[in-house]
Amino acid sequence: MKILLCKVGCEPEAVEIENTLKAQQDTVDGLIEVVWLTDGVFLVVNEEGKINGKCVPNRKIDYKGFCDTLYGNFFITAVDDGGANISMSDDQIQEYTEFLTKYTHMV
């Protein structure tokens, strides 16, 4: 599936990963936590990124009252009406690349 990946110290990039739990865990280097962004779009982070010391700070986010520091690699994925992950469209990739540019900054 096509996702928007944000690696530590890098700009966001569209990449393809397998649509499996293992591939998602490998992408964030650990257990995943899913954070709702908007209808049809989720942010996927390392569930223990802040507390286990394994992940370094990546980006600060400030969006509609959600202010936090994201640790480690994370990605944005599209979801269908049933909540299953699906590939992001090219329009979504562009929209959320702009979103990350506007509402986040590297730390």
Side-chain angles (χ1 to χ4, degrees):
M1 72 181 167
K2 186 191 269 187
I3 62 169
L4 185 59
L5 175 62
C6 198
K7 290 184 178 180
V8 173
C10 299
E11 293 300 320
E13 65 176 325
V15 299
E16 294 273 345
I17 66 169
E18 289 183 41
N19 193 359
T20 65
L21 177 60
K22 171 122 175 63
Q24 292 175 49
Q25 290 172 331
D26 289 347
T27 302
V28 300
D29 298 322
L31 301 175
I32 64 168
E33 181 174 349
V34 178
V35 179
W36 178 86
L37 283 178
T38 62
D39 289 339
V41 179
F42 289 166
L43 175 70
V44 181
V45 299
N46 182 312
E47 179 181 62
E48 299 177 324
K50 284 185 181 180
I51 60 173
N52 67 7
K54 181 179 173 185
C55 298
V56 298
N58 185 341
R59 289 180 175 259
K60 287 191 181 260
I61 186 169
D62 186 357
Y63 177 69
K64 292 187 177 180
F66 176 70
C67 300
D68 207 348
T69 300
L70 303 173
Y71 282 71
N73 298 337
F74 66 88
F75 65 91
I76 297 175
T77 183
V79 293
D80 65 17
D81 291 337
N85 293 336
I86 57 174
S87 285
M88 295 183 80
S89 68
D90 290 338
D91 288 343
Q92 287 174 316
I93 293 289
Q94 180 177 347
E95 177 181 354
Y96 286 93
T97 298
E98 292 170 6
F99 167 87
L100 289 170
T101 300
K102 184 173 182 178
Y103 295 107
T104 70
H105 64 276
M106 282 191 245
V107 290

